[in-house]
Every structure is written in C-alpha cells, then in structure tokens.
C-alpha cells in the first residue's frame, strides 16, 4: 500500500511497513482489539474533552487519521490527546501495548523518513533501508518507554527528538569499530588492478595515442589511475567540442607525469614557449568552464 501522507520509499523498507500496516488493518482480531480500547475506557479518558466521535467504535484507520490531521480534519488538540493516550497504553507489557506501539510507529513514519534521509550516506553501508531499520527500532523503543507523555509540549515533537537522539547514538557507536575494520581492510586489500581496470587503461591509452596525447609511462602504477582519469576527461572534452586536439595535447603534455617540457612542446607545435604556455592556460580555462554546472534557464 502506498501511503501518500509520507514520501515514497521506492519499494523499500518503508513501503514494506505500509504493507504490514494494511495487513494489520485488515485483521479482524486487530480491529477488535482497537475497538476494545474504547470500551475499556483506557484510550478515551484523555480525549473525551476534545471529541465524542468514538463513543461506540474505533478502527486503526481512524486512529491514524487522528494522528495525522489534515487541514479540514482533526485538530492539534485531538492529535496530542490521542498520541498521549497511545503512549500511555504502549508503556504496558501486553500484546495491546505492542499494538499501540505499532500504531505510533505508523503515525510517525513521516518524521522517521526525514530522520532517515538526513543520515543516509553513499558509502559505509548507510543506505536508506539500513538507517530506516535503526530509526524505526529507535522510535518503537522510545514509544514504549513510558516517559514521553509526561513531558510538556507537543508529544510528537518530543517523540521525534528522542528518536533522533537514539539514532545518532546508535550510528556513533557503530562508527568506531567499523572505521577500525575499514582501516585494517585497506591495509590488507589487493591494490593490483583488476580485469576492468586493465581493459579500461588499454582503451584510454589507445584513444590517447590516436589523438596525439601524452599518456605517460605505462609501468608507473602509482599514478596510473590518476593519469587515466585525466586522459579520459580530456578525450571527453574533445568529443563534446569543449577542447580542440591541440588544447588537449597542451594539457596532457604538461600535466601528466613524465610529460613534455614547454620548450620541446612549443618546438613540436612550431611556436614559442610563451605562446605555448598561453595556449595551455586558455585550454585549462575552457576545460574548467566545461565542467561547471549549467545555470537553469
């Protein structure tokens, strides 16, 4: 089930939570349990002052609607009262308390999604799903701690703040050991190029030779990757018309390890060393400009 009240998670962990929520709402036993919260009086005592619409029945969908009020829906007072009542119930140790905690998790998914999005990293395994697991677990623990509802102010804000604190603490606790493991792994890693790197280097060197670009010594492994990146950048710039062949030659001959001195390069081009240096400077400026993001029209 896609829940339009929080951003889509692209079929990942958050969408699975939505699907689990839909299954809960369809379960007759769960629906009866939520209705019992009205008849036993434990849920409605705190909200009687702001609503009487649940005098006889209550569904999980109604609870979620009350906890996520819209412009023409519930009031802030109702939202706060319902959340406090659920937090009180979630502090128990029975199955009803666990269900109340799950309702709170579903209601707070927009906040949890924002927390998750803020902590995702492109490296280190900190993907959206990985952080989502941590954030939802932290929220569930805070929701069932029995202390949020005793604090002054909006309970949802307090709940989100404590969840964020737990997430940050959990990630900080993992950072040390993971960092140490990564350092050890880097020390023992095989740094020799693999089949892809070898094939890529051969292809770039062949294209550079065809364009007359200096490719540097083939046996200099220490700078090989950087040289291949620069050559590929220059070849791409020539391909899109940002640089001429002469411009690319001027940059490659100067910047690649073991390159050609300006005097020799100028002699090959039939010009003076000063003119060659100016050509190289202008070529570098054009290359830099071609790499800048284009301003929106």
């Amino acid at each position: 089930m896609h829940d339009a009240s929080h951003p889509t998670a692209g079929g990942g962990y958050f969408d699975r939570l939505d699907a689990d929520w839909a299954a809960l709402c369809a379960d007759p036993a769960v629906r009866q349990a939520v209705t019992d919260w009205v008849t036993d009086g434990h849920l409605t005592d705190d909200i009687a002052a702001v609503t009487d619409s649940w005098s006889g029945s209550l569904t999980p969908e109604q609870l979620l609607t009350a906890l996520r009020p819209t412009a023409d829906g519930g009031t802030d007072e109702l939202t706060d009262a319902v959340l406090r009542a659920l937090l009180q119930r979630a502090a128990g140790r029975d199955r009803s308390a666990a269900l109340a905690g799950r309702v709170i998790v579903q209601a707070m998914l927009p906040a949890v999604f924002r927390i998750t999005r803020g902590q995702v990293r492109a490296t280190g395994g900190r993907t959206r799903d990985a952080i989502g697991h941590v954030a939802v677990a932290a929220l569930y623990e805070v929701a069932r701690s029995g202390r949020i509802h005793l604090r002054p102010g909006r309970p949802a804000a307090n709940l989100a703040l404590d969840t964020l604190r737990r997430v940050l603490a959990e990630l900080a606790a993992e950072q040390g050991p993971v960092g140490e493991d990564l350092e050890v792994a880097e020390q023992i890693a095989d740094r020799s190029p693999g089949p892809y790197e070898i094939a890529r280097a051969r292809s770039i060197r062949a294209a550079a030779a065809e364009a007359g670009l200096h490719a540097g010594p083939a046996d200099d492994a220490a700078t090989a990757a950087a040289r291949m990146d620069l050559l590929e950048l220059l070849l791409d710039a020539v391909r899109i018309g940002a640089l001429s062949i002469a411009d690319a030659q001027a940059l490659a001959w100067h910047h690649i390890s073991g390159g050609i001195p300006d005097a020799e390069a100028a002699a090959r081009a039939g010009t003076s060393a000063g003119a060659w240096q100016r050509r190289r400077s202008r070529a570098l400026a054009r290359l830099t400009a071609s790499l800048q993001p284009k301003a929106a029209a």
Side-chain angles (χ1 to χ4, degrees):
M1 177 186 72
H2 172 66
D3 187 348
S5 59
H6 77 274
T8 180
Y13 180 60
F14 286 89
D15 278 355
R16 292 195 296 274
L17 286 173
D18 282 342
D20 175 71
W21 172 254
L24 283 175
C25 290
D27 188 335
V30 171
R31 301 183 74 86
Q32 184 58 52
V34 173
T35 296
D36 289 344
W37 292 350
V38 175
T39 59
D40 66 19
H42 291 163
L43 181 63
T44 54
D45 286 347
D46 289 344
I47 63 177
V50 292
T51 183
D52 58 359
S53 60
W54 297 337
S55 57
S57 66
L58 177 63
T59 67
E61 295 91 341
Q62 285 177 307
L63 270 181
L64 192 61
T65 298
L67 291 167
R68 292 180 179 176
T70 58
D72 56 352
T75 64
D76 288 343
E77 292 81 5
L78 175 60
T79 298
D80 292 351
V82 174
L83 183 53
R84 287 193 183 96
L86 282 174
L87 288 167
Q88 291 171 354
R89 178 170 284 274
R93 291 295 177 264
D94 57 6
R95 295 181 63 183
S96 177
L99 178 57
R102 179 62 181 89
V103 174
I104 293 170
V105 166
Q106 191 67 25
M108 294 292 294
L109 280 187
V112 172
F113 191 90
R114 290 191 294 271
I115 291 172
T116 299
R117 186 172 53 195
Q119 300 304 316
V120 169
R121 298 290 183 273
T123 58
R126 293 177 66 170
T127 63
R128 183 180 54 204
D129 278 6
I131 302 300
H133 277 280
V134 175
V136 170
L139 169 61
Y140 185 76
E141 291 174 4
V142 172
R144 299 201 58 191
S145 67
R147 55 192 176 88
I148 296 296
H149 64 276
L150 299 177
R151 294 181 177 181
R154 296 293 302 276
N158 290 330
L159 193 58
L161 179 59
D162 265 15
T163 298
L164 175 60
R165 287 171 176 164
R166 288 202 180 210
V167 170
L168 294 177
E170 181 73 18
L171 296 178
E174 293 178 354
Q175 187 173 358
V178 170
E180 293 171 4
D181 291 344
L182 288 176
E183 289 179 3
V184 172
E186 288 175 356
Q187 292 173 6
I188 66 175
D190 182 5
R191 297 184 179 275
S192 59
Y196 168 77
E197 288 80 7
I198 294 173
R200 173 176 177 263
R202 286 175 178 170
S203 175
I204 292 174
R205 292 182 70 86
E210 184 178 351
L213 307 186
H214 176 65
D219 58 350
D220 186 5
T223 62
R227 284 188 286 108
M228 292 305 103
D229 288 343
L230 176 56
L231 284 172
E232 189 172 37
L233 179 66
L234 294 175
L235 290 168
D236 284 345
V238 171
R239 178 178 55 81
I240 66 175
L243 293 179
S244 66
I245 290 292
D247 290 338
Q249 288 174 342
L251 293 173
W253 290 359
H254 180 78
H255 290 285
I256 289 179
S257 175
I260 302 172
D262 284 343
E264 181 181 344
R268 290 188 184 187
T271 186
S272 67
W276 182 257
Q277 290 170 357
R278 289 191 294 274
R279 170 184 286 180
R280 188 177 69 246
S281 178
R282 290 192 295 269
L284 181 59
R286 282 192 289 272
L287 177 63
T288 302
S290 72
L291 299 176
Q292 300 302 316
K294 299 297 188 293

